[in-house]
Amino acid sequence: MNRQLRHRLTVALDERSYDIHIGSGLLADLPALLGRAGGADALVVSNTTVGPLYGPAVVERLQTVYRKVVRIDLPDGEAHKDWTSLNRVFDRLLAESCDRRTTLFALGGGVIGDMTGFAAACYMRGVPFVQLPTTLLSQVDSSVGGKTAINHPLGKNMIGAFYQPLLVVADLATLDTLPQRELSAGLAEVIKYGPIADADFLDWIEANLDALLARDKAALAHAVKRSCEIKAWVVGQDEREGGLRAILNFGHTFGHAIEAGLGYGEWLHGEAVGCGMVMASELSARLGLMPAAFVERMRRIVERAGLPVAGPASLSPARYLELMRVDKKAEAGEIRFVVIEALGRAGMRGAPDELVAQVVEACTAR
Ligand code: NAD
Ligand code: GLY
């Protein structure tokens, strides 16, 4: 295994290009990593779990490059990814007389990253923001690529904007305090990059899964780096999801149906994606694209990562179909699935309802 512990990558998007720094202890180096990005004011947006853990050190470091540094801790959880939390950020920015040279720092997982990015896109029609992701999921996926959003009662991530950060700093040391269930959820998004883009990476994940689960820093550094490289490559070609970017949603169509069907928060997003990848692999096999052995391989990897491999018994195939028709990828009611066409290559397909129902049935614990 590559024992290198620090990596720097670039997301190439012309004038909106930015760097991703990956390594252990990087939050202490924030002033140097910011380079010329320092300025007048900074608002660190975190939550009541992560803020007390890492907020004081981040604020202290930022005080060496910003005139004024303020921190706000929002309530923790997907249920608070809403207008009320967003307005609390705006209230604080206005109360502190923050002008358009203010930089927002998202210190937390995907919920904080998505909300802070959206706040930055809106405040004074756009201020810079920096991602400081502290979950594995946010380090390998949500902090990169510029999708920002809040939830609406009628749909997850339905109100948002494409808005790229100035910089991403993924400090692997923050993963030491992450609950094991959240680590497994993040592994789902790591695993996803293998079948969709890099067969060798899937081999590597299989060989290093125990090290990843044990939070070995070199293994984590490689997993985050390779995941971000693949995501940066995809986003660099299709920033606004005109086509290719949709492959990043492998397992997500089935997964979103599980999340919505059970009620958000019952299963973690990554858990639903893990099970959704098994279903999407089964669909790929039933469409004649992949051998049955591939489905078994995916099932084993997902299970070893500590993720569910069978859908909840309470959800019928008809309910999945109903929920999947309102997915953002559905076109005029036709559900579009990310399928694996060859190991390391994904595509988009429709499928007959009966076949999808058979897939759900075959992957559900009854
Ligand atoms: P999260 O942000 O809710 O974090 C999970 C839990 O871990 C929270 O309770 C959080 O407070 C806690 N936590 C975070 N860092 C910690 C740390 N270092 N130590 C201890 N506890 C810590 O969940 P997530 O899985 O990071 O992100 C999920 C969100 O990301 C969803 O809202 C999803 O829609 C979004 N998402 C966005 C994209 C994108 O491209 N923008 C991609 C995937 C997911
Ligand atoms: N997580 C999917 C995307 O960023 O497009």
Side-chain angles (χ1 to χ4, degrees), residues 33-359:
L33 298 175
L34 281 164
R36 298 190 313 118
D41 299 337
L43 178 74
V44 179
V45 182
S46 194
N47 69 23
T48 49
T49 304
V50 181
L53 289 171
Y54 304 106
V58 167
V59 168
E60 192 190 299
R61 299 306 292 144
L62 291 179
Q63 277 165 342
T64 64
V65 274
Y66 289 91
R67 192 187 58 196
K68 180 168 77 177
V69 184
V70 178
R71 184 179 115 212
I72 179 170
D73 288 347
L74 300 171
D76 187 5
E78 186 73 39
H80 298 286
K81 192 179 172 182
D82 60 6
W83 283 115
T84 307
S85 296
L86 194 68
N87 263 327
R88 288 186 57 183
V89 177
F90 296 142
D91 289 348
R92 191 62 187 270
L93 283 162
L94 290 164
E96 298 283 348
S97 305
C98 291
D99 65 18
R100 57 162 59 104
R101 290 167 306 146
T102 305
T103 302
L104 268 53
F105 288 80
L107 177 66
V111 169
I112 288 297
D114 281 13
M115 268 198 299
T116 308
F118 189 39
C122 299
Y123 188 65
M124 297 203 173
R125 301 198 183 91
V127 295
F129 88 109
V130 172
Q131 290 273 17
L132 306 176
T134 63
T135 61
L136 183 59
L137 184 139
S138 55
Q139 295 187 352
V140 300
D141 192 350
S142 63
S143 66
V144 175
K147 279 190 181 177
T148 74
I150 57 168
N151 298 329
H152 185 278
L154 296 180
K156 192 169 143 72
N157 293 330
M158 284 296 171
I159 316 293
F162 284 100
Y163 194 67
Q164 300 294 340
L166 205 61
L167 178 73
V168 180
V169 178
D171 187 340
L172 303 172
T174 61
L175 301 180
D176 287 343
T177 52
L178 195 65
Q180 196 68 20
R181 191 176 166 199
E182 297 287 352
L183 188 84
S184 287
L187 284 174
E189 303 284 8
V190 175
I191 293 166
K192 139 188 118 176
Y193 291 111
I196 65 166
D198 184 350
D200 290 344
F201 188 42
L202 191 62
D203 292 343
W204 183 91
I205 293 166
E206 244 173 348
N208 291 278
L209 203 44
D210 292 340
L212 290 168
L213 284 163
R215 302 174 201 227
D216 176 276
K217 290 293 185 299
L220 286 169
H222 181 74
V224 176
K225 170 185 156 271
R226 188 66 196 123
S227 300
C228 288
E229 274 172 355
I230 294 169
K231 181 142 189 191
W233 172 76
V234 171
V235 170
Q237 293 183 72
D238 179 23
E239 183 183 7
R240 290 183 169 247
E241 202 163 312
L244 177 71
R245 185 165 178 167
I247 66 167
L248 297 174
N249 290 320
F250 176 54
H252 287 55
T253 306
F254 289 105
H256 283 159
I258 295 173
E259 282 184 276
L262 290 181
Y264 290 105
E266 192 66 30
W267 281 25
L268 298 179
H269 174 71
E271 292 171 337
V273 168
C275 184
M277 286 193 293
V278 175
M279 291 180 175
S281 302
E282 179 77 36
L283 178 64
S284 306
R286 287 183 187 236
L287 285 169
L289 300 167
M290 295 297 288
F294 166 69
V295 188
E296 277 323 300
R297 185 178 180 197
M298 287 300 294
R299 191 175 274 121
R300 260 198 324 276
I301 298 173
V302 169
E303 192 164 35
R304 276 184 61 210
L307 296 161
V309 289
S314 58
L315 291 185
S316 68
R319 183 74 181 125
Y320 275 83
L321 285 161
E322 187 178 73
L323 290 163
M324 291 192 293
R325 282 203 179 86
V326 295
D327 189 87
K328 283 207 273 329
K329 287 184 299 307
E331 288 169 12
E334 201 215 347
I335 308 162
R336 307 282 295 160
F337 295 94
V338 182
V339 291
I340 304 304
E341 297 174 341
L343 209 49
R345 196 183 80 224
M348 300 292 294
R349 301 279 165 109
D353 284 0
E354 312 78 71
L355 189 69
V356 176
Q358 286 166 18
V359 166

